[in-house]
Amino acid sequence: MPKLFRHPAWLVLPAILLLVVALGYPLLQVVIRSFTDPEPGLGNYTWFFSRPVNMTVFWRTFEVAGWVTVLCLVLGYPYAWLMTAVGPNLRLLLILCVLVPFWVSGVVRTLAWVILLQDSGVINKVIMALGFEKVRLIRTQTGVVIGMTQVLLPFMIMPLYAVMRGIDLRLVQAARSLGARPVLAFLQVYLPLSLPGVFGGAVIVFILGLGFYITPALLGGPRATMLSTLAQQQVLQQLNWGKGGAMGVILLASTLVLLAIAARFTRRRYQISGGSK
């Protein structure tokens, strides 16, 4: 065998070919159709940006992804901290609680939320039992946010936990011993050290939230439509492959821009922190 073919880089060639065939070629077809179907040009993109309903759905997609990211952070941060503060046995149980949803289909979890959020569901029965009026949760943006938060919460918890378990708690104890109150020690010592996990988890959840389809389709309604659902309607219901492809390309471009901004922000932050040492 020639010496060139003995290089370890050749081992990744099958994986690269699989990605090109399974992902690259279909993506290329979507991009091409967005510019050529039904006729060559920028007509599909002009149509998208010229229709107010499309822009409303576009900005709603970012709004929902933002709310889901905030809720996941609020719920996931204390949970991840608790995973680092308890003993090994309880920590294992908490980790299993995070990992078990990965073993259940997203469709099954979303259908469970359909049952819980419906007008006669468990949540509304509890609300009415407490003396409040029934709240409409199904087919609303609120229901979509609730369902997506539950599905994406593990993607926030795991990056937080990975960073938090490496934080030396003696630094917080040293701040306390020097007279800092618990809240001040947390804000000035622990929180800054956990920011890489916060930032990493937020980027993952927000990017995944932009392209979510199953949960918005099952829990949302006409006033809670997201861009992925709108693209699906164009392709499967109206057979407008060009318009659906344009929506997909716009969503992909938005995601890549956000990732580039996030990568630059992270690189700059680490350069500043490295220079201050």
Side-chain angles (χ1 to χ4, degrees):
M1 178 182 296
K3 190 174 182 180
L4 176 63
F5 294 98
R6 298 178 185 177
H7 196 278
W10 286 99
L11 296 175
V12 301
L13 183 60
I16 295 176
L17 292 176
L18 178 62
L19 288 175
V20 170
V21 173
L23 297 178
Y25 179 74
L27 180 60
L28 180 62
Q29 290 296 314
V30 170
V31 174
I32 293 175
R33 284 202 171 194
S34 69
F35 289 101
T36 60
D37 190 354
E39 58 185 18
L42 299 175
N44 293 320
Y45 294 92
T46 303
W47 165 84
F48 179 86
F49 289 107
S50 62
R51 295 196 60 183
V53 63
N54 293 335
M55 299 307 300
T56 300
V57 173
F58 180 77
W59 293 118
R60 181 190 296 134
T61 301
F62 280 82
E63 179 185 355
V64 171
W67 277 113
V68 171
T69 303
V70 172
L71 289 177
C72 285
L73 179 59
V74 171
L75 298 174
Y77 195 97
Y79 190 93
W81 173 83
L82 183 63
M83 290 169 63
T84 64
V86 299
N89 294 331
L90 185 54
R91 182 184 301 117
L92 179 60
L93 177 61
L94 294 176
I95 293 176
L96 286 176
C97 292
V98 176
L99 295 180
V100 164
F102 287 109
W103 304 336
V104 181
S105 170
V107 177
V108 174
R109 283 183 284 171
T110 303
L111 289 177
W113 278 112
V114 172
I115 298 174
L116 292 174
L117 297 176
Q118 60 185 343
D119 295 338
S120 58
V122 176
I123 296 179
N124 265 313
K125 288 182 179 179
V126 173
I127 293 175
M128 296 176 64
L130 295 175
F132 298 97
E133 295 184 358
K134 184 185 300 184
V135 179
R136 181 166 180 80
L137 297 173
I138 196 70
R139 307 303 177 199
T140 64
Q141 185 171 315
T142 302
V144 172
V145 171
I146 293 174
M148 289 178 59
T149 300
Q150 189 271 331
V151 174
L152 294 176
L153 186 58
F155 294 96
M156 176 67 74
I157 293 176
M158 296 312 295
L160 285 170
Y161 172 68
V163 173
M164 288 179 176
R165 68 177 181 178
I167 297 177
D168 191 350
L169 297 180
R170 292 176 297 181
L171 297 173
V172 180
Q173 297 173 358
R176 294 283 304 277
S177 66
L178 292 174
R181 295 182 179 181
V183 175
L184 189 60
F186 170 78
L187 293 177
Q188 293 189 353
V189 178
Y190 192 87
L191 181 60
L193 293 174
S194 66
L195 285 181
V198 172
F199 189 72
V203 170
I204 294 174
V205 172
F206 188 80
I207 295 301
L208 291 176
L210 288 178
F212 236 60
Y213 168 71
I214 295 177
T215 303
L218 295 179
L219 297 181
R223 295 183 179 271
T225 303
M226 294 180 63
L227 194 58
S228 57
T229 307
L230 195 62
Q232 181 266 347
Q233 293 174 357
Q234 288 292 330
V235 173
L236 297 184
Q237 297 181 12
Q238 302 182 28
L239 299 179
N240 292 326
W241 288 87
K243 294 179 179 178
M247 292 181 182
V249 172
I250 292 171
L251 185 59
L252 177 61
S254 303
T255 303
L256 293 177
V257 170
L258 289 174
L259 286 176
I261 295 174
R264 184 168 183 177
F265 179 82
T266 304
R267 191 183 310 115
R268 182 179 178 183
R269 183 179 180 276
Y270 278 113
Q271 287 175 352
I272 294 176
S273 62
S276 62
K277 292 181 180 180

